[in-house]
Amino acid sequence: MAWTFFDRLLAHREVPKDRPAVDDGRGAWTYAELLDASGRIAATLLAGGGGSGLDGARVGLLVEPGRDWVAGLLGIWRAGGFAVPIALAHPEREIAYVLDDSDAVSALVSTALRPPLETPARERGLRVIDVAEALSAETPTAAADGQVDDADPALLIYTSGTTGTPKGVVLSHGNLRAQVESLEQAWGWTADDRILEVLPLHHVHGIVNVVLTSLWSGASCRLYPRFDAETVWRAFAGERPTLFMAVPTIYGRLVRAWEAASEADRVAYSAAARTLRLMVSGSAALPVPVLERWRELTGHTLLERYGMSEIGMALSNPLDGDRIPGSVGRPLPGVQLRIVDAEGLELGDGESGEVEVKGPAVFDGYWRRPDATRDAFRAGWFQTGDVAIREAGVYRLLGRSSVDILKTGGEKVSALEIEAVLRRHPAISECAVVGVADIDWGQRVAAAVEIEDGESLELDALRAWCKERLAVYKVPSRLAVVDALPRNALGKVQKPRLAPLFE
Ligand code: AMP
């Protein structure tokens, strides 16, 4: 069936002006204005050739979260393109990797974020389009409206895994529709909702759960370029949101900001937070002490859910009814989910095993990686690599099947990718990266290293060196210099034995 977000947005043209589609503090856009802006972006993209549509060509999106980012995404789709959201936190090397791997033909960019694109533009002929200039195009166009199919690729999300380099997750228009419809139903979204968006927009949490579900529902979305705790507390009153969604690290920071505030502010903050109808946490385990403290401060029992770039959201505590601390609830509408043993046999209540997922929200495969795609599925089920247990129908996550995947501040990180970079440091001869448990970050990136004779290494200097090569959340915040890493008889580093080094 032909379908685009555009079809759905058209239906929202009548949403009253006092409920804008998107707002980033520079002024709100109604749905009609957002449609117009996205048509201008499409016109600029198409003016570079391919007048009849981009036909799935990859277009990078390197724009701060705000009105322009949303118009950019919709503009890419309306031109028939395949959007590749790029992480703002990434250094030039990682941006170049994403542009190369995705084989992007063009990129929409904000003026301030242009510098890292100069080299790819020169070296690989990437067409760089300033989003502000595109928004001033003369005639809005939308070549692909009505022509995009469910199976057509919509979003390419880069995610770290058990390989040394991030892989692109291909989400089709049909996948996105299944994901947003499921959340709309489960969390009761309506056009009366208003949500604050403070998450980075290179990840499904911010893109799908917040921005796209808001647009799909005809609700309004107030976007901020980055998270700031005091701004959010004040926005609970000033912006009158009904919904808020974030990672556990953000809730931890909000708690600390509340505790540092004056008595009068604390009273105002708590009163404002109570007016929201729903607050959601996900992307990493929500520590029960954070859930309890949040309940004391705001009266909200955070709704914890579980999902992944490859599958969208899969499990959720209920909108109505008991939310169980430490659990991630039951399968969302449209999601088939089971727990299996190492052979792929389904397990019952009370037995722990790997989570497998199936359904229309699940991606088709990794971008140009048929082997990785084949390895990720078993008999049509996507193997998440997460270990869980079901008790009386309710699921609880127990960890991951690989020690090489870390979650820090809600960002998924590959230990192998960081190790590959560390090995290029002149003082490091060998290294191993692990995650160490941390109440604020979920896990912290910790590096155990062997160093070359006569060399020395300090954490600050290593961090400065890493920041030029890795996104800041991947940079180790713990360092242990050791004479010899613990190895097994085959010479493989025994990562579980590293944890005590960082206690
Ligand atoms: P990403 O693809 O970056 O969204 O990362 C997905 C991974 O985040 C999952 O495979 C889980 O390991 C983890 N995750 C997501 N939600 C939760 C949660 N509520 N509790 C624990 N881990 C989670």
Side-chain angles (χ1 to χ4, degrees):
M1 187 196 106
W3 175 84
T4 61
F5 247 87
F6 172 73
D7 299 327
R8 183 76 186 205
L9 297 189
L10 274 183
H12 302 322
R13 274 180 172 270
E14 306 312 318
V15 171
K17 271 199 167 8
D18 61 348
R19 274 188 261 137
V22 284
D23 182 3
D24 58 13
R26 291 180 301 161
W29 278 345
T30 61
Y31 276 89
E33 287 165 327
L34 175 61
L35 280 164
D36 184 71
S38 67
R40 288 174 197 281
I41 301 232
T44 305
L45 285 167
L46 293 168
S52 61
L54 295 180
D55 202 17
R58 273 74 56 212
V59 182
L61 184 57
L62 184 61
V63 174
E64 296 91 357
R67 285 182 333 202
D68 298 359
W69 188 95
V70 182
L73 178 70
L74 297 175
I76 294 169
W77 288 347
R78 294 186 71 183
F82 181 5
V84 189
I86 298 174
L88 307 189
H90 281 186
E92 207 164 319
R93 191 186 74 89
E94 291 198 59
I95 292 176
Y97 170 79
V98 167
L99 293 170
D100 281 341
D101 188 79
S102 64
D103 200 7
V105 294
S106 53
L108 277 172
V109 61
S110 338
T111 314
L113 298 173
R114 251 186 123 105
L117 296 185
E118 302 300 346
T119 309
R122 207 170 43 243
E123 289 180 355
R124 52 192 305 281
L126 181 85
R127 184 175 165 224
V128 179
I129 302 165
D130 194 302
V131 74
E133 283 169 28
L135 282 168
S136 57
E138 287 291 313
T139 334
T141 318
D145 286 352
Q147 293 171 30
V148 173
D149 208 65
D150 268 4
D152 289 332
L155 268 185
L156 190 56
I157 301 285
Y158 275 81
T159 186
S160 298
T162 47
T163 51
T165 48
K167 300 188 286 274
V169 172
V170 179
L171 294 171
S172 66
H173 284 278
N175 292 147
L176 293 178
R177 180 175 57 175
Q179 295 182 10
V180 296
E181 281 182 338
S182 176
L183 295 184
E184 181 189 35
Q185 188 186 334
W187 297 343
W189 279 84
T190 72
D192 291 333
D193 277 313
R194 178 159 169 81
I195 191 161
L196 303 181
E197 157 35 49
V198 297
L199 297 161
L201 290 180
H202 61 274
H203 189 268
V204 290
H205 196 167
I207 299 175
V208 178
N209 299 18
V210 179
V211 175
L212 294 184
T213 313
S214 176
L215 294 177
W216 183 261
S217 309
S220 70
C221 185
R222 170 66 165 98
L223 300 102
Y224 294 84
R226 65 196 63 78
F227 167 72
D228 172 69
E230 200 182 315
T231 305
V232 168
W233 278 118
R234 295 197 184 284
F236 286 156
E239 298 288 339
R240 298 236 147 260
T242 58
L243 295 168
F244 185 67
M245 297 181 193
V247 297
T249 303
I250 285 187
Y251 286 106
R253 293 228 192 135
L254 287 169
V255 167
R256 279 208 298 282
W258 187 95
E259 281 161 354
S262 69
E263 185 56 33
D265 279 345
R266 286 178 176 190
V267 171
Y269 289 174
S270 291
R274 281 173 196 274
T275 64
L276 278 75
R277 73 168 181 87
L278 176 66
M279 292 181 150
V280 178
S281 172
S283 291
L286 175 65
V288 174
V290 175
L291 176 143
E292 287 169 347
R293 188 73 181 124
W294 192 256
R295 188 155 52 196
E296 287 165 10
L297 302 191
T298 67
H300 284 276
T301 300
L302 289 170
L303 180 155
E304 184 169 8
R305 56 68 181 170
Y306 158 81
M308 200 173 178
S309 308
E310 289 88 335
I311 60 174
M313 298 304 111
L315 292 163
S316 170
N317 273 282
L319 177 63
D320 302 309
D322 282 346
R323 297 178 192 157
I324 302 172
S327 102
V328 284
R330 297 169 190 270
L332 280 157
V335 176
Q336 285 174 265
L337 185 142
R338 63 182 196 175
I339 293 184
V340 297
D341 67 12
E343 274 70 53
L345 291 176
E346 188 167 352
L347 298 170
D349 259 26
E351 294 178 297
S352 63
E354 185 175 355
V355 177
E356 290 191 341
V357 180
K358 209 183 201 177
V362 175
F363 80 139
D364 286 332
Y366 296 106
W367 175 245
R368 294 184 177 168
R369 302 225 190 187
D371 293 349
T373 303
R374 210 174 308 120
D375 292 348
F377 287 89
R378 177 159 50 194
W381 291 83
F382 174 71
Q383 302 168 277
T384 61
D386 289 307
V387 177
I389 188 166
R390 189 180 68 222
E391 294 152 325
V394 172
Y395 291 79
R396 191 156 53 83
L397 290 165
L398 301 175
R400 293 208 45 106
S401 56
S402 167
V403 288
D404 288 325
I405 296 178
L406 281 54
K407 269 265 160 159
T408 178
E411 298 273 6
K412 192 169 172 187
V413 169
S414 160
L416 305 184
E417 181 189 352
I418 301 168
E419 288 163 9
V421 170
L422 291 180
R423 285 194 193 101
R424 294 207 292 268
H425 190 285
I428 294 176
S429 54
E430 200 30 280
C431 66
V433 167
V434 290
V436 291
D438 183 274
I439 182 97
D440 290 330
W441 293 92
Q443 286 180 304
R444 279 183 177 270
V445 179
V449 304
E450 295 173 7
I451 59 175
E452 300 285 354
D453 288 345
E455 295 279 0
S456 64
L457 194 62
E458 298 294 335
L459 179 62
D460 286 348
L462 178 66
R463 284 179 58 78
W465 184 88
C466 284
K467 278 181 191 164
E468 288 174 20
R469 294 158 175 87
L470 285 170
V472 67
Y473 57 84
K474 300 177 184 173
V475 172
S477 58
R478 299 283 168 79
L479 173 69
V481 177
V482 295
D483 290 338
L485 293 164
R487 293 174 188 275
N488 67 13
L490 297 171
K492 188 172 156 43
V493 175
Q494 293 174 296
K495 290 199 172 180
R497 287 179 53 199
L498 294 175
L501 292 174
F502 302 102
E503 273 163 13

